[in-house]
Amino acid sequence: QQAKESGRNRFELYTAKLDYQSEVVTLENYLRKALERNELFICYQPVVNMKTKKIEALEALIRWKQPDIGFVSPAQFIPLAEETGLIVPITKWLLKQACIHIKAIHQFAPHMKIAINISAVHFQQDDFVEQLSAIAKKNDVHPRFFKLELTESTIMPNAEESVQKLVQLKQCGFKLAIDDFGTGFSSLSYLHRFPIDILKIDQSFIRRLSLYSDDATIVSTIIMMAHHLHLSVVAEGVETGQQYEFLTQQQCDMAQGYYIAKPMQIDEVQRFIQEWDAIHE
Ligand code: C2E
Ligand code: MG
Ligand code: MG
Ligand code: MG
């Protein structure tokens, strides 16, 4: 913790002297080396099935600890990784790690799935489907254990092409989710044309649930609409028992957020699942 604090302070002192452009270049140079230097790791955040009370999936969230500058938030380095194309090798590395991890997790939780965030620049590559299925195959994990999270802004432009690609992913066995639903400019009329399985309601709606009745209306409407389209719904960013209760009343299928658990490192997953199962028998 102390190392983390001092790392952050040093970074702030350091970057205060630099203009924005050189700060980005510095971070970019660090990021280029992050993979080979083993500075990236994954935290997993549980997703609970609200009906069975079981943990049904874990979302893989990438983390970067750079020795000189400390922790860098994904909100900062993912956009940079996207601009530089580094997101492609990073995501391939992450999927491979997730394959190794899911095999270990299946020893004690045989139905567990892992959700993986996919960036638009990667999705748009011609051989995206082949890349992913090749990694799953090489590491001997069936794609049905992976849920790919895509945002509306990834699939809405070139909707026709996206449909083709999503169909191919489905044929491989991957599960598909729309992440941060409600924040993009979504065309509801298009939604039913995408072969997706899950809608993840963006956490901004969940956060405001108790403050604005409008948000409660939006959330319950999204849930109803999703069910009419035969989609499951995940509520993201569930932080309180009140939010969880409301979502239960609205027949929401799954919940994810600090109320259930914060993202954790892989070595904490087994104990968490076992304790959770013991309490929610
Ligand atoms: P996301 O995919 O929507 O992930 C959910 C984010 O919400 C995560 O932030 C998670 O830690 C945070 N979160 C979960 N529950 C709560 C809660 O109850 N309250 C609050 N306040 N926050 C909560 P994180 O890990 O900082 O990731 C941020 C974003 O970075 C992700 O949003 C995703 O878009 C992106 N990201 C993370 N890992 C990857 C990755 O491997 N690849 C790509 N392309 N993007 C990633
Ligand atoms: Mg996500
Ligand atoms: Mg999200
Ligand atoms: Mg997001």
Side-chain angles (χ1 to χ4, degrees):
Q1 186 63 30
Q2 208 169 357
K4 184 176 161 185
E5 288 305 320
S6 65
R8 184 174 297 150
N9 291 340
R10 256 185 288 141
F11 183 51
E12 274 162 13
L13 275 176
Y14 181 50
T15 53
K17 296 183 197 142
L18 301 170
D19 62 288
Y20 175 73
Q21 197 51 41
S22 53
E23 187 184 321
V24 171
V25 171
T26 305
L27 203 61
E28 185 179 322
N29 288 335
Y30 277 129
L31 188 58
R32 287 190 189 284
K33 297 176 181 122
L35 260 183
E36 60 193 64
R37 292 184 181 173
N38 285 315
E39 295 167 2
L40 298 175
F41 60 100
I42 306 173
C43 277
Y44 288 103
Q45 187 175 35
V47 180
V48 68
N49 180 315
M50 298 174 82
K51 283 158 193 146
T52 64
K53 306 278 195 303
K54 296 282 177 201
I55 302 298
E56 128 163 0
L58 301 161
E59 180 172 4
L61 295 161
I62 198 149
R63 296 290 177 261
W64 180 22
K65 192 183 180 199
Q66 211 292 333
D68 299 337
I69 57 182
F71 283 98
V72 186
S73 134
Q76 210 177 348
F77 75 83
I78 292 290
L80 188 61
E82 290 171 343
E83 283 165 36
T84 53
L86 288 166
I87 193 66
V88 173
I90 288 174
T91 306
K92 288 165 110 175
W93 168 85
L94 183 139
L95 181 59
K96 185 184 172 196
Q97 292 301 301
C99 285
I100 296 166
H101 292 157
I102 197 74
K103 283 193 277 189
I105 291 168
H106 282 167
Q107 301 296 313
F108 56 88
H111 303 293
M112 192 66 69
K113 296 185 176 80
I114 290 181
I116 312 265
N117 292 284
I118 301 296
S119 290
V121 283
H122 195 185
F123 181 73
Q124 276 143 21
Q125 291 197 341
D126 286 337
D127 60 344
F128 174 75
V129 179
E130 289 78 9
Q131 286 180 34
L132 264 58
S133 53
I135 294 167
K137 187 168 186 171
K138 189 168 175 213
N139 292 281
D140 205 24
V141 178
H142 195 281
R144 73 170 179 275
F145 294 114
F146 293 111
K147 305 193 204 185
L148 306 180
E149 297 192 358
L150 306 130
T151 61
E152 297 156 276
S153 53
T154 298
I155 58 172
M156 278 315 297
N158 312 314
E160 297 299 332
E161 266 178 59
S162 295
V163 170
Q164 300 302 316
K165 223 168 235 184
L166 295 173
V167 166
Q168 287 174 30
L169 288 165
K170 285 293 295 172
Q171 283 168 346
C172 293
F174 289 103
K175 301 272 181 286
L176 303 176
I178 305 277
D179 202 358
D180 305 339
F181 185 76
T183 58
F185 76 112
S186 58
S187 165
L188 292 178
S189 63
Y190 247 109
L191 204 54
H192 76 281
R193 301 199 41 207
F194 294 115
I196 50 172
D197 308 286
I198 299 156
L199 276 195
K200 296 189 80 171
I201 304 178
D202 190 67
Q203 42 185 290
S204 56
F205 298 106
I206 310 300
R207 191 172 312 130
R208 295 189 302 249
L209 267 184
S210 50
L211 293 176
Y212 305 106
S213 61
D214 281 358
D215 287 285
T217 308
I218 291 169
V219 167
S220 53
T221 306
I222 293 175
I223 295 170
M224 249 190 296
M225 177 201 66
H227 286 165
H228 279 299
L229 297 171
H230 306 290
L231 305 174
S232 313
V233 182
V234 180
E236 288 196 87
V238 179
E239 292 186 354
T240 69
Q242 267 179 318
Q243 292 166 346
Y244 193 92
E245 271 315 304
F246 175 80
L247 293 160
T248 304
Q249 285 163 18
Q250 302 304 314
Q251 314 289 324
C252 187
D253 304 281
M254 289 168 272
Q256 177 181 355
Y258 297 168
Y259 180 66
I260 295 102
K262 291 197 169 176
M264 62 190 80
Q265 296 203 39
I266 183 64
D267 57 0
E268 300 167 85
V269 167
Q270 179 165 9
R271 204 179 68 180
F272 173 82
I273 303 286
Q274 285 168 345
E275 285 180 2
W276 180 277
D277 285 346
I279 297 166
H280 299 89
E281 211 68 83

